[in-house]
Amino acid sequence: MMGLASMLLRVLGLCVLGVVALQLYFLLRVASMAWIDPQSTAFQRSEAVRILREKGELPWRQQWVPYAQISPHLKRAVIAAEDAGFAEHSGVEWEAIEKAWERNQRAEQRVQARRTSGNARPPKVVGGSTITQQLAKNLFLSGERNLLRKGQEFLITLMLEALLSKERILEIYLNHVEWGEGVFGAEAAARHYFRIGATQLSPYQAARLAVMLPAPKRFERRPNSAYVSGRAQVVVSRMGAVELP
């Protein structure tokens, strides 16, 4: 009995040590990003594997550009569309998470009600992620959704906010976020959709790109749709109130 307890304690100790080592790895990786531009993200690598497997080739557009070479219009548009409180919050918008949780709970209740009629469909999961949280997820984590992964995302978010400036977080985000299949970063998106560099984007062009971010592959098929155009006008109207880091 004592031998079993001792073995369980050793296993538990190894698990704790593994968790601590993983957090230290993430911490060192994040710290290095203060002066080293990350070459790729976990999401990009998984996408590259998927595209290569499905198509047998890898069409890829991405080019890192410094913060100063990204149009201020795009910075304001993305913040206005994705995370209005980016410059003020500490990486997590608790109120947005609470509202998202409530919406998801209502969606789950509707699904439960439909199950009795045999017409149940999976609920649409609504997130409350900030730009920093999205960056944390894209940099290091898989796309699966569970409490353990969300907890890890939260810890990495705190690391990013503690070790990097808001300007650096936005710079890395804009250089690695997806804007279509195999299209990553502001420079590639500007050239793909408008045939210009990221520094030349107008307010309306920037707003259109920002509107695409929640579902870039879907909007890539119809970049000039009525929804994208109408939503872009709304984003343009909000950009003047955005505070840049």
Side-chain angles (χ1 to χ4, degrees):
M1 197 70 180
M2 289 295 293
L4 179 60
S6 177
M7 183 178 69
L8 289 175
L9 284 174
R10 283 199 295 268
V11 170
L12 180 61
L14 288 173
C15 289
V16 171
L17 184 61
V19 170
V20 171
L22 181 62
Q23 303 316 310
L24 181 60
Y25 164 76
F26 286 140
L27 188 67
L28 292 174
R29 285 287 306 278
V30 169
S32 72
M33 291 178 191
W35 65 90
I36 299 175
D37 301 332
Q39 297 301 303
S40 66
T41 68
F43 176 73
Q44 288 173 330
R45 292 189 289 273
S46 67
E47 276 295 285
V49 171
R50 181 191 63 78
I51 294 171
L52 190 59
R53 183 174 62 246
E54 292 179 359
K55 297 188 174 183
E57 59 181 358
L58 187 58
W60 199 266
R61 302 177 183 89
Q62 183 179 18
Q63 179 183 341
W64 179 282
V65 289
Y67 187 81
Q69 293 180 26
I70 300 175
S71 169
H73 301 311
L74 183 60
K75 299 167 190 171
R76 288 193 170 90
V78 169
I79 292 174
E82 293 286 289
D83 184 5
F86 175 70
E88 291 83 26
H89 64 61
S90 59
V92 180
E93 285 274 38
W94 295 109
E95 184 177 346
I97 291 176
E98 183 179 354
K99 289 179 180 178
W101 172 263
E102 292 172 355
R103 289 195 296 269
N104 291 333
Q105 289 297 104
R106 289 195 295 269
E108 179 62 32
Q109 290 170 3
R110 288 194 296 270
V111 170
Q112 293 289 348
R114 291 193 189 108
R115 281 176 181 163
T116 58
S117 65
N119 190 32
R121 290 178 296 178
K124 180 180 179 181
V125 178
V126 180
S129 295
T130 64
I131 285 174
T132 312
Q133 286 176 281
Q134 293 177 49
L135 180 60
K137 178 181 66 176
N138 290 341
L139 280 170
F140 299 114
L141 305 175
S142 68
E144 63 180 333
R145 296 187 178 189
N146 56 55
L147 288 177
L148 187 62
R149 193 207 62 80
K150 197 67 180 177
Q152 184 63 77
E153 176 191 304
F154 175 75
L155 289 176
I156 296 173
T157 296
L158 296 182
M159 295 176 194
L160 287 167
E161 289 281 342
L163 298 174
L164 304 181
S165 68
K166 288 284 189 178
E167 180 178 305
R168 182 59 169 166
I169 290 170
L170 187 58
E171 178 184 33
I172 296 173
Y173 176 83
L174 290 175
N175 273 289
H176 284 288
V177 71
E178 182 187 36
W179 258 297
E181 186 164 279
V183 181
F184 289 90
E187 183 71 14
R191 296 195 179 279
H192 179 62
Y193 293 105
F194 304 113
R195 305 294 187 268
I196 59 175
T199 189
Q200 300 170 286
L201 289 165
S202 70
Y204 181 67
Q205 289 170 332
R208 281 178 56 185
L209 289 180
V211 170
M212 296 176 69
L213 285 177
K217 294 188 185 71
R218 174 159 60 89
F219 290 130
E220 184 182 24
R221 302 187 192 104
R222 298 184 61 199
N224 299 311
S225 68
Y227 172 81
V228 171
S229 300
R231 179 64 180 164
Q233 294 288 359
V234 174
V235 172
V236 169
S237 70
R238 296 175 178 174
M239 287 164 56
V242 169
E243 178 185 348
L244 288 181

